[in-house]
Amino acid sequence: MSGAPLVDQFGRTIEYLRISVTDRCNFRCQYCMPLEGMPWLPKADILSYEEIHEVVRQLGPLGLRRIRLTGGEPTIRPQLSRLVAMLRGVPEVEDIALSTNGVKLPQLAAELAAAGLDRVNISADSLRSERIVQIARRDLGFEPVAAAQAAEDAGLGPIKLNVVVMRGTNDDEVVDFARLTLAHAWHVRFIELMPVGQMESVTDAHVVPSEEILARIRAALGPLVPTAGPARGNGPAAYHRLEGALGTIGVITPMTHTYCGSCNRVRLTADGRLRTCLFGDHEVDLRTPLRAGLPLEPFVRQALAEKPEQHALLSRRNGGLRALSQVGG
Ligand code: SAM
Ligand code: SF4
């Protein structure tokens, strides 16, 4: 191993790995997965926890510092806390976060925290139960505020709530979500819909630009002051605060701005492919060398050499948009 940090051809240092632990999910969100017929990965193709740990162990000395477990829905993979504990044992890793739809958090938050998880992002597109079922197309009794509270009580803060805004579906709730920051030290982040799903309600016409979201909140709740946001894991979000609020309001704007210039992340798919850009087809197979007992560094460096300067989502030049559940969001 050279041990040199992972820097791509555009000078971006890679220190953040998003790990998809499963491609499966207990929801079928309109913008993410078809209701039926997802081509699930065969179990034998999915990396074991030991294999995921080995990837992280080898990347630690190359500069990996932050991990996010995602999916699919990571909490439906059995014994997720066992993986968390294994990754916690990698000395270079400073921060382990989880992206979840929150359904299982009331049940799992304490166990995940005890295993060494630092924090969670919870996806919650509505505060109304009938609408949650309409968007997620599964009735699992999800209660976003209870899930966030359970995570906070377990010490998994700062809590971030991610809301994908869809015109005509949940855009009338942005003010209700923003209001949560008055009473809770939570970070509510509105994400511009990326029209990659297969539903009629997931098209360019359903994207609500972040400026419009913020304007609606200002009109209802008063001025928004730009702020630094949560201490850890800001990523590509711009934050604001309502007067007197405990939490912040963030916007993530893949459709109206790109963050590619400061991108510090790569993704590991559930079947062991290193993906250097969320959109695009730049993937390098790590599973084969991993299972052959080969060092991964040359394969990782090869992947980085091919990391594109920016994604082609806006111009749609990439051709093959995969659902985010397949690439880890
Ligand atoms: N199941 C977990 C969850 O929902 O948080 C983790 C995986 S999910 C693919 C990660 C994130 O991608 C979620 O916040 C989800 O809302 C977001 N996402 C999925 N499809 C999207 C789309 N078409 N546009 C914008 N965000 C999307
Ligand atoms: Fe599942 Fe998350 Fe995709 Fe919804 S956004 S279908 S919860 S993976």
Side-chain angles (χ1 to χ4, degrees):
M1 277 206 191
S2 74
L6 296 171
V7 181
D8 76 0
Q9 55 175 328
F10 304 104
R12 295 171 296 192
T13 301
I14 306 303
E15 53 150 45
Y16 177 23
L17 180 66
R18 296 175 70 103
I19 302 173
S20 173
V21 301
T22 178
D23 59 332
R24 294 165 196 240
C25 190
N26 45 0
F27 272 175
R28 293 288 182 276
C29 300
Q30 299 180 3
Y31 47 73
C32 183
M33 274 193 195
L35 198 50
E36 309 278 349
M38 270 299 277
W40 306 121
L41 291 167
K43 288 242 160 62
D45 287 359
I46 292 183
L47 295 190
S48 67
Y49 287 165
E50 286 70 20
E51 289 169 334
I52 293 173
H53 173 255
E54 182 57 19
V55 173
V56 171
R57 196 190 66 75
Q58 292 197 34
L59 291 183
L62 303 179
L64 178 62
R65 297 291 174 267
R66 295 171 49 208
I67 288 173
R68 174 170 299 281
L69 302 176
T70 175
E73 174 48 40
T75 61
I76 65 166
R77 184 154 171 185
Q79 300 183 329
L80 185 66
S81 55
R82 187 169 76 83
L83 175 65
V84 171
M86 290 165 77
L87 299 179
R88 189 80 273 173
V90 177
E92 295 88 355
V93 171
E94 296 165 2
D95 186 39
I96 306 178
L98 173 72
S99 283
T100 174
N101 62 25
V103 170
K104 298 188 86 170
L105 272 183
Q107 184 188 333
L108 291 180
E111 176 186 326
L112 289 166
L117 185 69
D118 289 306
R119 56 202 178 84
V120 291
N121 287 10
I122 303 167
S123 300
D125 300 328
S126 174
L127 297 169
R128 307 178 192 173
S129 35
E130 73 289 350
R131 194 175 273 177
I132 292 171
V133 177
Q134 177 202 340
I135 296 170
R137 297 183 293 178
R138 286 282 162 90
D139 186 358
L140 302 179
F142 176 47
E143 293 180 19
V145 172
Q149 194 61 59
E152 186 170 54
D153 292 347
L156 295 174
I159 301 295
K160 294 183 192 160
L161 284 175
N162 288 341
V163 186
V164 176
V165 184
M166 290 164 277
R167 194 180 297 286
T169 298
N170 65 348
D171 57 331
D172 57 345
E173 288 190 65
V174 296
V175 172
D176 292 341
F177 272 107
R179 210 178 268 122
L180 285 178
T181 68
L182 294 170
H184 301 274
W186 298 344
H187 304 281
V188 172
R189 299 156 9 129
F190 297 103
I191 304 177
E192 284 175 350
L193 174 71
M194 294 178 271
V196 297
Q198 301 171 358
M199 292 276 294
E200 284 171 11
S201 57
V202 185
T203 69
D204 285 341
H206 299 95
V207 175
V208 183
S210 58
E211 284 75 13
E212 182 180 333
I213 295 170
L214 294 174
R216 288 195 197 187
I217 295 169
R218 276 191 205 98
L221 300 175
L224 284 167
V225 180
T227 178
R232 286 183 300 172
N234 274 350
Y239 287 94
H240 308 261
R241 194 183 285 277
L242 287 165
E243 200 183 323
L246 300 176
T248 67
I249 294 165
V251 285
I252 301 179
T253 56
M255 294 306 291
T256 54
H257 306 87
T258 78
Y259 308 101
C260 303
S262 58
C263 180
N264 63 351
R265 60 190 63 185
V266 291
R267 296 175 160 79
L268 184 66
T269 64
D271 56 347
R273 298 178 154 270
L274 195 66
R275 199 174 166 94
T276 55
C277 180
L278 177 55
F279 303 105
D281 294 324
H282 303 267
E283 289 182 352
V284 167
D285 173 24
L286 293 188
R287 191 184 67 210
T288 305
L290 188 63
R291 292 188 176 170
L294 296 172
L296 299 176
E297 180 175 347
F299 299 91
V300 174
R301 292 205 186 274
Q302 179 204 332
L304 280 192
E306 293 165 10
K307 182 169 165 70
E309 186 169 15
Q310 60 179 43
H311 68 66
L313 179 63
L314 304 183
S315 58
R316 303 289 160 77
R317 271 182 284 107
N318 61 331
L321 287 177
R322 287 223 260 161
L324 266 68
S325 64
Q326 294 177 308
V327 295

